């Protein structure tokens, strides 16, 4: 077996593409961990309680209601301090997502309003549209604020009634204060302060915004690293494919070396490759600290090594079973693409279908993301879980690989 491993490693060292993935992927993953960005909006379940400003009255609001929020599009022709106050109260009610288009510079005619409502009804998606007239502040001072606000119901959502009640309540407060902001602010001080309580999600783990951002960055780093591991495993498969086609595997079999022993030698090769990449990752991690990773460096390197061992062995398995270099390359790239997408490395799968969520748990990266969350919150069961996952995937790849080689050898003998 040692001779087989040495031969495979010599062939790999002669492959220029192998060195490309060995060095570049760890560098890219390290770079993405150093970049600071805020991705918490994609993971947080509570909607932002402030007015969303639209670029123009043609802007669509359907994109803002991706999590089932009750979206209200407001055409604000007043754009005054009083209209700002009322809309902010609606947004902070915890029920409504307010999207405002400033139309204070538009000429309001019946034709303009009709065109906007028809377009919203047919080409956009929202609960209701609100039109706030230019004289809203003057009418509020006279106690007639409701006369300048028109509601257009554009859906059969049952939450419309709650919106109407909330709007009536806020307009009544404005009328009672005669449109005076100081009076309204005094009344706000007497109201009980709203308290937001963070509730754990389905996984039972609460992450801070910083940890959420670290998880997102870790997902991107996993994506780069798995790409490197997948193709390094494919390079091992290339040597096995050539050995099968050139009769080398047949000669090895005649020496009474078992199929399991031959496949085990290829697995040992992938183990050494995974270890080499982990060493490169450890060298690159010199520029990283706990604030970048959210965990200790040894833990991070161990996670990368275990994940790499899984993907290098799986890609080698796919390549050997296909028995063709080009098919193996395409299959490896597809494996990387779909596994990364379905595991949630690029974007969360919280609001996808049940079937898609079930498929995501078949992807190794999903379990490593779960393990990352567990490490962030101090769960000591994370590493034992990841070790068990790694052993399970490797056991499947080794058993299927040796069985596949036996079937290919039997088939080749039958054809000859």
């Amino acid at each position: 077996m040692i001779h087989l491993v040495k031969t495979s490693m010599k062939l790999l060292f002669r492959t220029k593409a192998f060195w490309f993935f060995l060095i570049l992927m760890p560098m890219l993953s390290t770079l993405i961990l150093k970049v600071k960005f805020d991705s918490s909006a994609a993971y947080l379940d509570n909607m932002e309680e402030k007015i969303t400003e639209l670029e123009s009255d043609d802007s669509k609001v359907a994109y803002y209601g991706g999590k089932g929020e009750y979206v209200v599009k407001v055409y604000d022709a007043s754009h005054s301090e009083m209209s700002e106050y009322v809309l902010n109260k609606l947004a902070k009610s915890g029920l409504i997502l307010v999207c405002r288009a400033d139309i204070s510079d538009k000429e309001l005619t019946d034709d303009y309003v009709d065109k906007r409502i028809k377009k919203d009804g047919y080409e956009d998606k929202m609960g209701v549209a609100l039109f706030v007239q230019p004289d809203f502040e003057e009418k509020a001072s006279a106690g007639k604020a409701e006369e300048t606000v028109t509601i257009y119901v554009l859906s059969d959502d049952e939450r419309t009634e709650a919106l109407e009640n909330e709007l009536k309540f806020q307009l009544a407060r404005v009328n009672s204060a005669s449109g005076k902001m100081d009076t309204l602010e005094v009344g706000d001080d007497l109201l009980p302060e709203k308290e937001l309580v963070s509730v754990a999600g389905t996984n039972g783990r609460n992450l801070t915004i910083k940890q959420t951002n670290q998880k997102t960055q870790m997902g991107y780093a996993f994506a780069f690293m798995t790409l490197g591991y997948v193709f390094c495993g494919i390079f091992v498969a290339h040597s096995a494919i050539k050995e099968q086609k050139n009769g080398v595997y047949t000669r090895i079999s005649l020496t009474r070396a078992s199929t399991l022993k031959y496949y085990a030698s290829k697995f040992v090769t992938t183990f050494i490759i995974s270890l080499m990449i982990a060493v490169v990752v450890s060298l690159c991690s010199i520029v990283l600290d706990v604030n970048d990773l959210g965990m200790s460096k040894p833990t991070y390197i161990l996670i990368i090594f275990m994940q790499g061992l899984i993907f290098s062995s799986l890609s080698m398995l796919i390549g050997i079973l296909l028995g063709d270099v080009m098919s193996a390359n395409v299959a490896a790239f597809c494996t990387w693409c779909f596994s990364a997408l379905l595991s949630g490395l690029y974007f969360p799968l919280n609001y996808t279908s049940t079937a898609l969520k079930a498929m995501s748990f078949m992807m190794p990266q999903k379990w490593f993301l779960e393990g990352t969350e567990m490490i962030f919150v101090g769960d000591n069961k994370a590493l034992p879980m990841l070790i068990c996952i790694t052993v399970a995937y490797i056991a499947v790849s080794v058993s299927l690989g040796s069985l596949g080689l036996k079937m290919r050898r039997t088939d080749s003998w039958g054809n000859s």
Side-chain angles (χ1 to χ4, degrees):
M1 180 185 291
I2 296 177
H3 177 71
L4 294 175
V5 173
K6 287 183 178 179
T7 303
S8 298
M9 292 302 299
K10 287 179 181 178
L11 292 173
L12 279 175
F13 289 158
R14 294 172 186 170
T15 306
K16 294 180 180 179
F18 166 73
W19 294 104
F20 173 82
F21 286 102
L22 177 67
I23 298 173
L24 184 62
M25 293 302 110
M27 292 177 63
L28 289 176
S29 65
T30 303
L31 179 63
I32 199 67
L33 289 173
K34 290 296 293 183
V35 176
K36 300 301 180 184
F37 56 88
D38 186 7
S39 61
S40 58
Y43 289 89
L44 298 178
D45 291 332
N46 58 299
M47 58 179 162
E48 200 171 9
E49 295 182 340
K50 66 179 183 180
I51 301 172
T52 300
E53 300 291 350
L54 302 176
E55 293 183 0
S56 68
D57 54 354
D58 286 326
S59 300
K60 293 185 178 181
V61 301
Y63 307 110
Y64 297 95
K67 300 178 182 178
E69 296 91 341
Y70 187 82
V71 182
V72 176
K73 186 173 184 179
V74 181
Y75 295 93
D76 190 358
S78 174
H79 204 68
S80 59
E81 187 179 14
M82 190 58 62
S83 66
E84 180 89 12
Y85 174 83
V86 172
L87 295 179
N88 269 314
K89 284 297 182 180
L90 291 179
K92 292 180 179 179
S93 66
L95 167 71
I96 302 155
L97 181 60
V98 178
C99 299
R100 177 171 61 182
D102 181 9
I103 59 170
S104 56
D105 58 344
K106 301 285 185 180
E107 183 180 352
L108 295 184
T109 62
D110 292 339
D111 184 58
Y112 172 82
V113 175
D114 290 341
K115 285 183 178 180
R116 296 308 323 161
I117 295 303
K118 287 181 180 179
K119 188 171 183 179
D120 291 339
Y122 288 108
E123 300 180 13
D124 207 345
K125 184 179 180 181
M126 65 193 74
V128 302
L130 294 180
F131 266 88
V132 182
Q133 299 294 332
D135 57 345
F136 176 76
E137 201 161 32
E138 291 77 9
K139 289 285 187 179
S141 301
K144 300 178 180 179
E146 68 280 357
E147 295 181 2
T148 60
V149 180
T150 307
I151 301 177
Y152 296 89
V153 179
L154 300 176
S155 74
D156 56 355
D157 197 308
E158 295 180 355
R159 291 174 290 182
T160 301
E161 184 178 355
L163 164 68
E164 292 175 342
N165 292 334
E166 180 67 22
L167 181 60
K168 288 178 181 178
F169 172 71
Q170 296 300 335
L171 292 178
R173 291 186 64 237
V174 169
N175 288 335
S176 63
S178 299
K180 296 179 180 179
M181 285 299 303
D182 53 351
T183 304
L184 289 170
E185 290 171 356
V186 170
D188 290 338
D189 293 336
L190 298 176
L191 294 174
E193 186 177 353
K194 182 178 179 180
E195 181 181 1
L196 295 177
V197 180
S198 178
V199 181
T202 55
N203 56 18
R205 292 186 290 272
N206 288 322
L207 298 181
T208 64
I209 293 178
K210 180 180 178 181
Q211 289 173 333
T212 301
N213 292 331
Q214 288 174 331
K215 176 188 173 183
T216 304
Q217 290 177 286
M218 194 67 73
Y220 294 148
F222 286 168
F224 282 116
M225 291 307 305
T226 51
L227 177 63
Y229 278 114
V230 162
F231 275 95
C232 286
I234 280 296
F235 295 144
V236 179
H238 286 179
S239 64
I241 292 170
K242 291 178 181 178
E243 289 171 353
Q244 292 177 51
K245 291 186 176 181
N246 296 334
V248 176
Y249 175 61
T250 302
R251 291 194 293 272
I252 293 173
S253 300
L254 293 176
T255 62
R256 295 185 179 181
S258 65
T259 303
L260 181 59
K261 184 177 180 180
Y262 175 79
Y263 190 84
S265 69
K266 298 300 179 184
F267 173 75
V268 171
T269 304
T270 61
F271 181 90
I272 295 173
I273 294 171
S274 301
L275 195 59
M276 291 174 62
I277 297 179
V279 171
V280 177
V281 170
S282 64
L283 294 176
C284 294
S285 66
I286 294 175
V287 300
L288 300 175
D289 53 31
V290 177
N291 292 327
D292 298 321
L293 299 173
M295 63 183 73
S296 65
K297 289 183 183 179
T299 302
Y300 168 67
I301 295 169
L302 179 60
I303 288 176
I304 291 295
F305 171 71
M306 290 190 293
Q307 191 172 188
L309 197 58
I310 292 174
F311 275 94
S312 57
S313 60
L314 285 178
S315 62
M316 180 187 66
L317 166 65
I318 294 172
I320 291 177
L321 292 182
L322 290 176
D324 179 74
V325 172
M326 183 58 69
S327 299
N329 290 340
V330 174
F333 185 75
C334 292
T335 299
W336 171 72
C337 287
F338 286 107
S339 63
L341 286 171
L342 292 176
S343 61
L345 292 187
Y346 302 130
F347 46 81
L349 303 177
N350 301 338
Y351 301 97
T352 56
S353 64
T354 304
L356 200 59
K357 289 179 181 177
M359 290 177 62
S360 74
F361 278 100
M362 298 175 64
M363 308 300 151
Q365 301 102 312
K366 175 66 176 180
W367 292 101
F368 282 89
L369 277 181
E370 289 288 317
T372 299
E373 280 193 15
M374 294 169 68
I375 292 172
F376 285 166
V377 298
D379 193 336
N380 295 326
K381 297 178 182 178
L383 288 180
M385 180 199 74
L386 294 179
I387 292 173
C388 292
I389 292 296
T390 303
V391 171
Y393 275 104
I394 290 174
V396 170
S397 65
V398 171
S399 58
L400 290 180
S402 58
L403 179 62
L405 277 175
K406 286 182 180 179
M407 294 177 63
R408 288 188 64 83
R409 184 176 64 176
T410 303
D411 183 62
S412 62
W413 286 356
N415 292 334
S416 60

